Amino acid sequence: FFTYLPVGLVVSFVIMTIFWNIGFALKRLMDIGMLETVWACPVPRSTLIVGESLFSMARLVVELCVLLVVYRFIFGLQLPEGFLRMLPYFVPFVILMYGFGIGFAALVLLVKDANTMVDTSSFLVQGLTGTQNPPQVFPRFLLAIAMAIPITYFVDFVRVQTAIGRHDDHSD
């Protein structure tokens, strides 16, 4: 069970954190009428867009660590060896997600409605990339879309790395 669903949940938490925080950082500035004022400052716009989201990523890491500790003591969850092996792969994934997030921020500026865009795009990306279900269950036209999204391959790779560690533990 751990090699499938919780790994997908961790990936979906990262996706949601980046999408929500980049989109709503801009939306919040638009709502209070400060977007033009803040963007006129001599600070790179990417710093403004990414800065708030980086704090949320740090908070997410702390929340996930606390959650794993609670699961360990309440439910007796044992992390497989492969879980620690997959953690370094999250660095390029987070960079990739910030690339998507900055493109998403451009759409938020065009549409000016972050609520609907964040909800819809976050749901579609999570649903199509296999964080909650294997993409192989989709009809062919949706499977083609799912396979065109790089996140699909990352989720599968992380699950394989976690499973390899689990099989290595039981080979004695």
Side-chain angles (χ1 to χ4, degrees):
F1 174 73
F2 188 79
T3 59
Y4 189 78
L5 189 59
V7 169
L9 289 175
V10 169
V11 173
S12 68
F13 289 156
V14 171
I15 292 169
M16 287 188 328
T17 299
I18 292 172
F19 272 77
W20 278 92
N21 288 299
I22 286 180
F24 280 107
L26 293 174
K27 177 66 172 156
R28 191 172 22 262
L29 288 172
M30 279 191 262
D31 288 346
I32 63 174
M34 294 295 294
L35 183 65
E36 294 84 7
T37 304
V38 170
W39 280 36
C41 294
V43 176
R45 290 183 179 102
S46 59
T47 303
L48 296 172
I49 292 171
V50 174
E52 187 173 336
S53 183
L54 284 175
F55 172 75
S56 296
M57 284 300 296
R59 188 180 67 215
L60 175 69
V61 169
V62 170
E63 289 171 357
L64 286 173
C65 289
V66 169
L67 183 69
L68 290 174
V69 168
V70 168
Y71 281 0
R72 168 74 174 112
F73 290 113
I74 292 179
F75 301 112
L77 173 72
Q78 295 286 343
L79 293 177
E81 186 71 29
F83 183 78
L84 296 176
R85 188 179 332 187
M86 76 171 186
L87 291 180
Y89 298 110
F90 272 89
V91 173
F93 173 68
V94 168
I95 293 170
L96 170 77
M97 285 308 303
Y98 272 103
F100 277 127
I102 290 172
F104 178 73
L107 290 175
V108 168
L109 288 174
L110 288 174
V111 176
K112 296 184 174 94
D113 183 17
N115 298 339
T116 305
M117 285 193 55
V118 168
D119 284 338
T120 305
S121 61
S122 176
F123 173 76
L124 287 174
V125 168
Q126 289 177 38
L128 289 173
T129 57
T131 60
Q132 300 163 3
N133 57 313
Q136 292 81 7
V137 301
F138 293 138
R140 289 198 186 274
F141 72 95
L142 284 179
L143 182 61
I145 295 170
M147 292 300 158
I149 303 172
I151 301 166
T152 305
Y153 299 102
F154 175 75
V155 173
D156 190 45
F157 178 75
V158 169
R159 285 189 175 130
V160 167
Q161 290 299 313
T162 304
I164 288 172
R166 187 186 67 206
H167 292 303
D168 289 345
D169 290 344
H170 297 299
S171 61
D172 294 341

